[in-house]
Amino acid sequence: MTDRTENTQDYLLSIVIPMFNEEQGASECVRRVARVIEESLGCRYELIFVNDGSTDRTLEILRQEKEQNPHVKIIDLSRNFGHQTAITAGIDHANGDALIVIDGDLQDPPEVFPRLIEKWKAGADIVHARRTARHGESAFTRFRAAMFYRIMSQISSIDIPIDVGDFRLMSKRVVNQLKAMKETRRYVRGLATWVGFNQETIDYEREARFAGTPSYTLKTLMGLAMSGILGFSIIPMRLGIYLGLLVITTSFAFGAYGVVLPAMAPSWTPLMVALLFVGGLQLICTGLIGEYLYLVLDGVRQRPVYIVKQEY
Ligand code: UDP
Ligand code: MG
């Protein structure tokens, strides 16, 4: 039984597609996404393309596509804001009962849509699409991605499934929560997972890019990792406390050594005890400031304190 109020019979499906310099693949993207929806789902739909400050002909091509296909909507951003922000803009402009985020380079195959919708109809609020294989990507890219997902899952306080990017379906109530979240540094997959509700995962094989080159470099991936860590982990802020405790313990060990075996202990033992003790205290105090800072940060972000799923 689903406790959601969204319409799963005559529903509107929103597809959010960020586009940055995708002139070569844009038309194919519109065609393939529209074909899957029309042939396999037959629902009402809107294709929300977010042009993230492309410097090529992406916008022009999308506008041509819009003439052919009235389902196409284009949100043209004033400059390049980055993938996560582009997705956010698309989500903010969506009206659907269900929403799917998909990359514009067709690496996420739209043929997976019916499986996502099936889960949604069965009551899922979020359906993560997990990559079981990645085609057309170099060994280094695959290794980089594998490390990214594993480190992030260790560090962050929420359970984002491993090997899940931004390809996912979200129900209207999840989308409404995301729209209400105004924090500026967006890590969309983190926010979507944080929201909770009924989350499911399906597997798919990631395809090679249809055309063009990936714009994710090591630098942008690091930026994404930082957004994830800053947004969903307190570990870096706690580091001071942990290190401080470690250093003070070492200072006590030296002290004990000096007391128990005064003849054996080096002459600089008292100095070392004092040095480590003061150093440890300073680290702990820094960590404590970090805790207060985190409290402030949490307040400034204005995430809801809790989200009610249903009242009975
Ligand atoms: N993208 C974007 N803004 C950017 C970089 C990328 O909207 O600043 C879009 C891009 O057009 C694509 C998606 O985000 O649709 C994923 O980008 P890319 O293929 O470069 O990343 P990867 O597949 O390597 O994760
Ligand atoms: Mg890609």
PDB file of all heavy atoms in Angstrom, residues 58-91:
ATOM      1  N   THR A  58      24.319  24.419 -28.202  1.00  0.00           N
ATOM      2  CA  THR A  58      23.337  23.620 -27.461  1.00  0.00           C
ATOM      3  C   THR A  58      21.970  24.309 -27.373  1.00  0.00           C
ATOM      4  O   THR A  58      20.938  23.715 -27.688  1.00  0.00           O
ATOM      5  CB  THR A  58      23.854  23.329 -26.027  1.00  0.00           C
ATOM      6  OG1 THR A  58      25.104  22.661 -26.130  1.00  0.00           O
ATOM      7  CG2 THR A  58      22.886  22.465 -25.248  1.00  0.00           C
ATOM      8  N   LEU A  59      21.975  25.597 -26.981  1.00  0.00           N
ATOM      9  CA  LEU A  59      20.709  26.313 -26.789  1.00  0.00           C
ATOM     10  C   LEU A  59      19.925  26.406 -28.098  1.00  0.00           C
ATOM     11  O   LEU A  59      18.719  26.141 -28.143  1.00  0.00           O
ATOM     12  CB  LEU A  59      20.974  27.718 -26.231  1.00  0.00           C
ATOM     13  CG  LEU A  59      19.723  28.578 -26.034  1.00  0.00           C
ATOM     14  CD1 LEU A  59      18.805  27.955 -24.982  1.00  0.00           C
ATOM     15  CD2 LEU A  59      20.088  29.998 -25.634  1.00  0.00           C
ATOM     16  N   GLU A  60      20.650  26.747 -29.155  1.00  0.00           N
ATOM     17  CA  GLU A  60      20.029  26.873 -30.469  1.00  0.00           C
ATOM     18  C   GLU A  60      19.362  25.559 -30.879  1.00  0.00           C
ATOM     19  O   GLU A  60      18.205  25.541 -31.337  1.00  0.00           O
ATOM     20  CB  GLU A  60      21.153  27.225 -31.450  1.00  0.00           C
ATOM     21  CG  GLU A  60      20.727  27.855 -32.731  1.00  0.00           C
ATOM     22  CD  GLU A  60      21.970  28.073 -33.608  1.00  0.00           C
ATOM     23  OE1 GLU A  60      23.022  28.500 -33.069  1.00  0.00           O
ATOM     24  OE2 GLU A  60      21.877  27.788 -34.817  1.00  0.00           O
ATOM     25  N   ILE A  61      20.067  24.466 -30.676  1.00  0.00           N
ATOM     26  CA  ILE A  61      19.529  23.153 -31.055  1.00  0.00           C
ATOM     27  C   ILE A  61      18.316  22.814 -30.199  1.00  0.00           C
ATOM     28  O   ILE A  61      17.294  22.330 -30.693  1.00  0.00           O
ATOM     29  CB  ILE A  61      20.623  22.076 -30.928  1.00  0.00           C
ATOM     30  CG1 ILE A  61      21.693  22.337 -31.981  1.00  0.00           C
ATOM     31  CG2 ILE A  61      20.051  20.676 -31.065  1.00  0.00           C
ATOM     32  CD1 ILE A  61      22.964  21.573 -31.796  1.00  0.00           C
ATOM     33  N   LEU A  62      18.402  23.103 -28.912  1.00  0.00           N
ATOM     34  CA  LEU A  62      17.263  22.814 -28.032  1.00  0.00           C
ATOM     35  C   LEU A  62      16.041  23.629 -28.458  1.00  0.00           C
ATOM     36  O   LEU A  62      14.912  23.136 -28.433  1.00  0.00           O
ATOM     37  CB  LEU A  62      17.625  23.120 -26.570  1.00  0.00           C
ATOM     38  CG  LEU A  62      18.583  22.136 -25.898  1.00  0.00           C
ATOM     39  CD1 LEU A  62      18.956  22.617 -24.502  1.00  0.00           C
ATOM     40  CD2 LEU A  62      17.960  20.741 -25.813  1.00  0.00           C
ATOM     41  N   ARG A  63      16.277  24.867 -28.868  1.00  0.00           N
ATOM     42  CA  ARG A  63      15.148  25.703 -29.291  1.00  0.00           C
ATOM     43  C   ARG A  63      14.517  25.169 -30.568  1.00  0.00           C
ATOM     44  O   ARG A  63      13.299  25.216 -30.740  1.00  0.00           O
ATOM     45  CB  ARG A  63      15.605  27.160 -29.453  1.00  0.00           C
ATOM     46  CG  ARG A  63      15.950  27.773 -28.083  1.00  0.00           C
ATOM     47  CD  ARG A  63      16.248  29.233 -28.178  1.00  0.00           C
ATOM     48  NE  ARG A  63      15.083  29.995 -28.613  1.00  0.00           N
ATOM     49  CZ  ARG A  63      15.068  31.306 -28.763  1.00  0.00           C
ATOM     50  NH1 ARG A  63      16.139  31.992 -28.494  1.00  0.00           N
ATOM     51  NH2 ARG A  63      13.969  31.915 -29.154  1.00  0.00           N
ATOM     52  N   GLN A  64      15.350  24.638 -31.438  1.00  0.00           N
ATOM     53  CA  GLN A  64      14.803  23.994 -32.639  1.00  0.00           C
ATOM     54  C   GLN A  64      13.975  22.775 -32.260  1.00  0.00           C
ATOM     55  O   GLN A  64      12.888  22.551 -32.795  1.00  0.00           O
ATOM     56  CB  GLN A  64      15.940  23.546 -33.578  1.00  0.00           C
ATOM     57  CG  GLN A  64      16.563  24.679 -34.366  1.00  0.00           C
ATOM     58  CD  GLN A  64      17.888  24.269 -35.013  1.00  0.00           C
ATOM     59  OE1 GLN A  64      18.231  23.089 -35.032  1.00  0.00           O
ATOM     60  NE2 GLN A  64      18.617  25.246 -35.518  1.00  0.00           N
ATOM     61  N   GLU A  65      14.481  21.997 -31.319  1.00  0.00           N
ATOM     62  CA  GLU A  65      13.753  20.795 -30.874  1.00  0.00           C
ATOM     63  C   GLU A  65      12.413  21.177 -30.267  1.00  0.00           C
ATOM     64  O   GLU A  65      11.423  20.469 -30.417  1.00  0.00           O
ATOM     65  CB  GLU A  65      14.590  20.006 -29.853  1.00  0.00           C
ATOM     66  CG  GLU A  65      15.824  19.333 -30.432  1.00  0.00           C
ATOM     67  CD  GLU A  65      15.492  18.292 -31.493  1.00  0.00           C
ATOM     68  OE1 GLU A  65      14.404  17.685 -31.421  1.00  0.00           O
ATOM     69  OE2 GLU A  65      16.308  18.101 -32.412  1.00  0.00           O
ATOM     70  N   LYS A  66      12.411  22.301 -29.543  1.00  0.00           N
ATOM     71  CA  LYS A  66      11.182  22.756 -28.883  1.00  0.00           C
ATOM     72  C   LYS A  66      10.094  23.061 -29.915  1.00  0.00           C
ATOM     73  O   LYS A  66       8.912  22.861 -29.662  1.00  0.00           O
ATOM     74  CB  LYS A  66      11.483  23.986 -28.026  1.00  0.00           C
ATOM     75  CG  LYS A  66      10.309  24.428 -27.152  1.00  0.00           C
ATOM     76  CD  LYS A  66      10.723  25.599 -26.279  1.00  0.00           C
ATOM     77  CE  LYS A  66       9.504  26.307 -25.707  1.00  0.00           C
ATOM     78  NZ  LYS A  66       8.721  25.478 -24.793  1.00  0.00           N
ATOM     79  N   GLU A  67      10.505  23.548 -31.082  1.00  0.00           N
ATOM     80  CA  GLU A  67       9.525  23.824 -32.153  1.00  0.00           C
ATOM     81  C   GLU A  67       8.841  22.536 -32.587  1.00  0.00           C
ATOM     82  O   GLU A  67       7.665  22.520 -32.923  1.00  0.00           O
ATOM     83  CB  GLU A  67      10.242  24.433 -33.355  1.00  0.00           C
ATOM     84  CG  GLU A  67      11.132  25.602 -32.993  1.00  0.00           C
ATOM     85  CD  GLU A  67      10.661  26.894 -33.613  1.00  0.00           C
ATOM     86  OE1 GLU A  67      10.522  26.920 -34.840  1.00  0.00           O
ATOM     87  OE2 GLU A  67      10.424  27.852 -32.847  1.00  0.00           O
ATOM     88  N   GLN A  68       9.611  21.445 -32.610  1.00  0.00           N
ATOM     89  CA  GLN A  68       9.075  20.151 -33.042  1.00  0.00           C
ATOM     90  C   GLN A  68       8.279  19.470 -31.939  1.00  0.00           C
ATOM     91  O   GLN A  68       7.295  18.801 -32.186  1.00  0.00           O
ATOM     92  CB  GLN A  68      10.208  19.184 -33.442  1.00  0.00           C
ATOM     93  CG  GLN A  68      11.279  19.773 -34.337  1.00  0.00           C
ATOM     94  CD  GLN A  68      10.749  20.053 -35.721  1.00  0.00           C
ATOM     95  OE1 GLN A  68       9.970  19.274 -36.242  1.00  0.00           O
ATOM     96  NE2 GLN A  68      11.132  21.189 -36.289  1.00  0.00           N
ATOM     97  N   ASN A  69       8.787  19.595 -30.712  1.00  0.00           N
ATOM     98  CA  ASN A  69       8.210  18.851 -29.595  1.00  0.00           C
ATOM     99  C   ASN A  69       7.783  19.804 -28.480  1.00  0.00           C
ATOM    100  O   ASN A  69       8.614  20.340 -27.754  1.00  0.00           O
ATOM    101  CB  ASN A  69       9.253  17.836 -29.073  1.00  0.00           C
ATOM    102  CG  ASN A  69       8.679  16.932 -27.999  1.00  0.00           C
ATOM    103  OD1 ASN A  69       7.690  17.266 -27.352  1.00  0.00           O
ATOM    104  ND2 ASN A  69       9.310  15.785 -27.800  1.00  0.00           N
ATOM    105  N   PRO A  70       6.469  20.024 -28.323  1.00  0.00           N
ATOM    106  CA  PRO A  70       5.984  21.002 -27.338  1.00  0.00           C
ATOM    107  C   PRO A  70       6.239  20.584 -25.884  1.00  0.00           C
ATOM    108  O   PRO A  70       6.046  21.390 -24.974  1.00  0.00           O
ATOM    109  CB  PRO A  70       4.477  21.063 -27.627  1.00  0.00           C
ATOM    110  CG  PRO A  70       4.161  19.774 -28.318  1.00  0.00           C
ATOM    111  CD  PRO A  70       5.380  19.365 -29.059  1.00  0.00           C
ATOM    112  N   HIS A  71       6.671  19.343 -25.684  1.00  0.00           N
ATOM    113  CA  HIS A  71       6.962  18.916 -24.311  1.00  0.00           C
ATOM    114  C   HIS A  71       8.277  19.482 -23.801  1.00  0.00           C
ATOM    115  O   HIS A  71       8.554  19.442 -22.610  1.00  0.00           O
ATOM    116  CB  HIS A  71       7.019  17.388 -24.230  1.00  0.00           C
ATOM    117  CG  HIS A  71       5.750  16.711 -24.654  1.00  0.00           C
ATOM    118  ND1 HIS A  71       4.655  16.626 -23.825  1.00  0.00           N
ATOM    119  CD2 HIS A  71       5.403  16.115 -25.810  1.00  0.00           C
ATOM    120  CE1 HIS A  71       3.692  15.988 -24.459  1.00  0.00           C
ATOM    121  NE2 HIS A  71       4.109  15.666 -25.674  1.00  0.00           N
ATOM    122  N   VAL A  72       9.087  19.983 -24.734  1.00  0.00           N
ATOM    123  CA  VAL A  72      10.412  20.498 -24.354  1.00  0.00           C
ATOM    124  C   VAL A  72      10.283  21.854 -23.668  1.00  0.00           C
ATOM    125  O   VAL A  72       9.585  22.741 -24.151  1.00  0.00           O
ATOM    126  CB  VAL A  72      11.325  20.619 -25.593  1.00  0.00           C
ATOM    127  CG1 VAL A  72      12.632  21.321 -25.244  1.00  0.00           C
ATOM    128  CG2 VAL A  72      11.602  19.249 -26.196  1.00  0.00           C
ATOM    129  N   LYS A  73      10.940  21.985 -22.503  1.00  0.00           N
ATOM    130  CA  LYS A  73      11.045  23.292 -21.843  1.00  0.00           C
ATOM    131  C   LYS A  73      12.526  23.573 -21.680  1.00  0.00           C
ATOM    132  O   LYS A  73      13.296  22.649 -21.422  1.00  0.00           O
ATOM    133  CB  LYS A  73      10.416  23.245 -20.446  1.00  0.00           C
ATOM    134  CG  LYS A  73       8.914  23.084 -20.438  1.00  0.00           C
ATOM    135  CD  LYS A  73       8.409  23.169 -19.001  1.00  0.00           C
ATOM    136  CE  LYS A  73       6.896  23.057 -18.968  1.00  0.00           C
ATOM    137  NZ  LYS A  73       6.381  23.098 -17.587  1.00  0.00           N
ATOM    138  N   ILE A  74      12.914  24.807 -21.815  1.00  0.00           N
ATOM    139  CA  ILE A  74      14.335  25.130 -21.690  1.00  0.00           C
ATOM    140  C   ILE A  74      14.535  26.166 -20.600  1.00  0.00           C
ATOM    141  O   ILE A  74      13.902  27.222 -20.613  1.00  0.00           O
ATOM    142  CB  ILE A  74      14.893  25.680 -23.020  1.00  0.00           C
ATOM    143  CG1 ILE A  74      14.590  24.706 -24.165  1.00  0.00           C
ATOM    144  CG2 ILE A  74      16.391  25.929 -22.905  1.00  0.00           C
ATOM    145  CD1 ILE A  74      14.844  25.295 -25.541  1.00  0.00           C
ATOM    146  N   ILE A  75      15.374  25.853 -19.655  1.00  0.00           N
ATOM    147  CA  ILE A  75      15.769  26.830 -18.641  1.00  0.00           C
ATOM    148  C   ILE A  75      17.197  27.214 -18.998  1.00  0.00           C
ATOM    149  O   ILE A  75      18.110  26.394 -18.884  1.00  0.00           O
ATOM    150  CB  ILE A  75      15.745  26.214 -17.216  1.00  0.00           C
ATOM    151  CG1 ILE A  75      14.437  25.458 -16.947  1.00  0.00           C
ATOM    152  CG2 ILE A  75      16.017  27.269 -16.151  1.00  0.00           C
ATOM    153  CD1 ILE A  75      13.208  26.296 -16.918  1.00  0.00           C
ATOM    154  N   ASP A  76      17.379  28.440 -19.428  1.00  0.00           N
ATOM    155  CA  ASP A  76      18.699  28.872 -19.883  1.00  0.00           C
ATOM    156  C   ASP A  76      19.363  29.672 -18.765  1.00  0.00           C
ATOM    157  O   ASP A  76      18.945  30.787 -18.458  1.00  0.00           O
ATOM    158  CB  ASP A  76      18.510  29.724 -21.156  1.00  0.00           C
ATOM    159  CG  ASP A  76      19.837  30.105 -21.784  1.00  0.00           C
ATOM    160  OD1 ASP A  76      20.811  29.349 -21.600  1.00  0.00           O
ATOM    161  OD2 ASP A  76      19.882  31.154 -22.457  1.00  0.00           O
ATOM    162  N   LEU A  77      20.376  29.103 -18.141  1.00  0.00           N
ATOM    163  CA  LEU A  77      21.043  29.795 -17.039  1.00  0.00           C
ATOM    164  C   LEU A  77      21.981  30.883 -17.582  1.00  0.00           C
ATOM    165  O   LEU A  77      22.484  30.779 -18.701  1.00  0.00           O
ATOM    166  CB  LEU A  77      21.832  28.804 -16.171  1.00  0.00           C
ATOM    167  CG  LEU A  77      20.997  27.703 -15.504  1.00  0.00           C
ATOM    168  CD1 LEU A  77      21.880  26.866 -14.561  1.00  0.00           C
ATOM    169  CD2 LEU A  77      19.823  28.281 -14.720  1.00  0.00           C
ATOM    170  N   SER A  78      22.215  31.904 -16.748  1.00  0.00           N
ATOM    171  CA  SER A  78      22.957  33.084 -17.212  1.00  0.00           C
ATOM    172  C   SER A  78      24.433  32.800 -17.454  1.00  0.00           C
ATOM    173  O   SER A  78      25.106  33.536 -18.162  1.00  0.00           O
ATOM    174  CB  SER A  78      22.813  34.203 -16.188  1.00  0.00           C
ATOM    175  OG  SER A  78      23.369  33.787 -14.960  1.00  0.00           O
ATOM    176  N   ARG A  79      24.930  31.726 -16.832  1.00  0.00           N
ATOM    177  CA  ARG A  79      26.327  31.322 -17.048  1.00  0.00           C
ATOM    178  C   ARG A  79      26.453  29.877 -16.618  1.00  0.00           C
ATOM    179  O   ARG A  79      25.455  29.272 -16.243  1.00  0.00           O
ATOM    180  CB  ARG A  79      27.286  32.211 -16.238  1.00  0.00           C
ATOM    181  CG  ARG A  79      27.098  32.085 -14.727  1.00  0.00           C
ATOM    182  CD  ARG A  79      28.250  32.757 -13.983  1.00  0.00           C
ATOM    183  NE  ARG A  79      27.992  32.880 -12.553  1.00  0.00           N
ATOM    184  CZ  ARG A  79      28.254  31.927 -11.657  1.00  0.00           C
ATOM    185  NH1 ARG A  79      28.744  30.769 -12.034  1.00  0.00           N
ATOM    186  NH2 ARG A  79      28.004  32.132 -10.384  1.00  0.00           N
ATOM    187  N   ASN A  80      27.649  29.343 -16.640  1.00  0.00           N
ATOM    188  CA  ASN A  80      27.856  27.971 -16.192  1.00  0.00           C
ATOM    189  C   ASN A  80      27.898  27.931 -14.662  1.00  0.00           C
ATOM    190  O   ASN A  80      28.754  28.546 -14.033  1.00  0.00           O
ATOM    191  CB  ASN A  80      29.169  27.435 -16.775  1.00  0.00           C
ATOM    192  CG  ASN A  80      29.456  26.023 -16.294  1.00  0.00           C
ATOM    193  OD1 ASN A  80      30.298  25.821 -15.431  1.00  0.00           O
ATOM    194  ND2 ASN A  80      28.750  25.057 -16.806  1.00  0.00           N
ATOM    195  N   PHE A  81      26.918  27.247 -14.068  1.00  0.00           N
ATOM    196  CA  PHE A  81      26.870  27.149 -12.612  1.00  0.00           C
ATOM    197  C   PHE A  81      27.322  25.784 -12.111  1.00  0.00           C
ATOM    198  O   PHE A  81      27.436  25.566 -10.924  1.00  0.00           O
ATOM    199  CB  PHE A  81      25.450  27.416 -12.102  1.00  0.00           C
ATOM    200  CG  PHE A  81      25.074  28.861 -12.084  1.00  0.00           C
ATOM    201  CD1 PHE A  81      24.476  29.457 -13.181  1.00  0.00           C
ATOM    202  CD2 PHE A  81      25.322  29.651 -10.969  1.00  0.00           C
ATOM    203  CE1 PHE A  81      24.128  30.796 -13.171  1.00  0.00           C
ATOM    204  CE2 PHE A  81      24.982  30.990 -10.944  1.00  0.00           C
ATOM    205  CZ  PHE A  81      24.377  31.573 -12.047  1.00  0.00           C
ATOM    206  N   GLY A  82      27.509  24.848 -13.012  1.00  0.00           N
ATOM    207  CA  GLY A  82      27.919  23.498 -12.591  1.00  0.00           C
ATOM    208  C   GLY A  82      26.735  22.545 -12.555  1.00  0.00           C
ATOM    209  O   GLY A  82      25.575  22.946 -12.410  1.00  0.00           O
ATOM    210  N   HIS A  83      27.062  21.277 -12.696  1.00  0.00           N
ATOM    211  CA  HIS A  83      26.097  20.182 -12.812  1.00  0.00           C
ATOM    212  C   HIS A  83      25.028  20.191 -11.708  1.00  0.00           C
ATOM    213  O   HIS A  83      23.827  20.166 -11.980  1.00  0.00           O
ATOM    214  CB  HIS A  83      26.925  18.891 -12.772  1.00  0.00           C
ATOM    215  CG  HIS A  83      26.153  17.655 -13.058  1.00  0.00           C
ATOM    216  ND1 HIS A  83      26.609  16.420 -12.680  1.00  0.00           N
ATOM    217  CD2 HIS A  83      24.966  17.441 -13.657  1.00  0.00           C
ATOM    218  CE1 HIS A  83      25.735  15.513 -13.056  1.00  0.00           C
ATOM    219  NE2 HIS A  83      24.731  16.097 -13.654  1.00  0.00           N
ATOM    220  N   GLN A  84      25.475  20.256 -10.447  1.00  0.00           N
ATOM    221  CA  GLN A  84      24.534  20.148  -9.328  1.00  0.00           C
ATOM    222  C   GLN A  84      23.547  21.319  -9.305  1.00  0.00           C
ATOM    223  O   GLN A  84      22.366  21.140  -9.022  1.00  0.00           O
ATOM    224  CB  GLN A  84      25.291  20.081  -7.987  1.00  0.00           C
ATOM    225  CG  GLN A  84      26.230  18.892  -7.868  1.00  0.00           C
ATOM    226  CD  GLN A  84      25.471  17.567  -7.836  1.00  0.00           C
ATOM    227  OE1 GLN A  84      24.603  17.342  -7.007  1.00  0.00           O
ATOM    228  NE2 GLN A  84      25.786  16.676  -8.764  1.00  0.00           N
ATOM    229  N   THR A  85      24.049  22.502  -9.601  1.00  0.00           N
ATOM    230  CA  THR A  85      23.182  23.674  -9.618  1.00  0.00           C
ATOM    231  C   THR A  85      22.211  23.594 -10.791  1.00  0.00           C
ATOM    232  O   THR A  85      21.039  23.964 -10.669  1.00  0.00           O
ATOM    233  CB  THR A  85      24.027  24.961  -9.691  1.00  0.00           C
ATOM    234  OG1 THR A  85      25.025  24.883  -8.680  1.00  0.00           O
ATOM    235  CG2 THR A  85      23.186  26.193  -9.476  1.00  0.00           C
ATOM    236  N   ALA A  86      22.701  23.086 -11.931  1.00  0.00           N
ATOM    237  CA  ALA A  86      21.824  22.942 -13.098  1.00  0.00           C
ATOM    238  C   ALA A  86      20.681  21.976 -12.769  1.00  0.00           C
ATOM    239  O   ALA A  86      19.512  22.242 -13.091  1.00  0.00           O
ATOM    240  CB  ALA A  86      22.629  22.451 -14.302  1.00  0.00           C
ATOM    241  N   ILE A  87      21.003  20.888 -12.111  1.00  0.00           N
ATOM    242  CA  ILE A  87      19.961  19.930 -11.711  1.00  0.00           C
ATOM    243  C   ILE A  87      18.963  20.612 -10.779  1.00  0.00           C
ATOM    244  O   ILE A  87      17.748  20.470 -10.918  1.00  0.00           O
ATOM    245  CB  ILE A  87      20.596  18.701 -11.006  1.00  0.00           C
ATOM    246  CG1 ILE A  87      21.420  17.883 -11.997  1.00  0.00           C
ATOM    247  CG2 ILE A  87      19.523  17.835 -10.361  1.00  0.00           C
ATOM    248  CD1 ILE A  87      22.175  16.735 -11.360  1.00  0.00           C
ATOM    249  N   THR A  88      19.498  21.392  -9.838  1.00  0.00           N
ATOM    250  CA  THR A  88      18.633  22.098  -8.890  1.00  0.00           C
ATOM    251  C   THR A  88      17.665  23.022  -9.620  1.00  0.00           C
ATOM    252  O   THR A  88      16.467  23.059  -9.313  1.00  0.00           O
ATOM    253  CB  THR A  88      19.485  22.922  -7.895  1.00  0.00           C
ATOM    254  OG1 THR A  88      20.395  22.033  -7.249  1.00  0.00           O
ATOM    255  CG2 THR A  88      18.627  23.609  -6.862  1.00  0.00           C
ATOM    256  N   ALA A  89      18.185  23.751 -10.611  1.00  0.00           N
ATOM    257  CA  ALA A  89      17.329  24.664 -11.376  1.00  0.00           C
ATOM    258  C   ALA A  89      16.214  23.888 -12.071  1.00  0.00           C
ATOM    259  O   ALA A  89      15.055  24.312 -12.096  1.00  0.00           O
ATOM    260  CB  ALA A  89      18.171  25.422 -12.407  1.00  0.00           C
ATOM    261  N   GLY A  90      16.568  22.735 -12.631  1.00  0.00           N
ATOM    262  CA  GLY A  90      15.572  21.914 -13.315  1.00  0.00           C
ATOM    263  C   GLY A  90      14.504  21.416 -12.356  1.00  0.00           C
ATOM    264  O   GLY A  90      13.297  21.491 -12.646  1.00  0.00           O
ATOM    265  N   ILE A  91      14.930  20.957 -11.202  1.00  0.00           N
ATOM    266  CA  ILE A  91      13.980  20.447 -10.197  1.00  0.00           C
ATOM    267  C   ILE A  91      13.030  21.566  -9.763  1.00  0.00           C
ATOM    268  O   ILE A  91      11.827  21.373  -9.639  1.00  0.00           O
ATOM    269  CB  ILE A  91      14.743  19.862  -8.984  1.00  0.00           C
ATOM    270  CG1 ILE A  91      15.482  18.582  -9.391  1.00  0.00           C
ATOM    271  CG2 ILE A  91      13.789  19.591  -7.815  1.00  0.00           C
ATOM    272  CD1 ILE A  91      16.377  17.993  -8.317  1.00  0.00           C
TER     273      ILE A  91
END
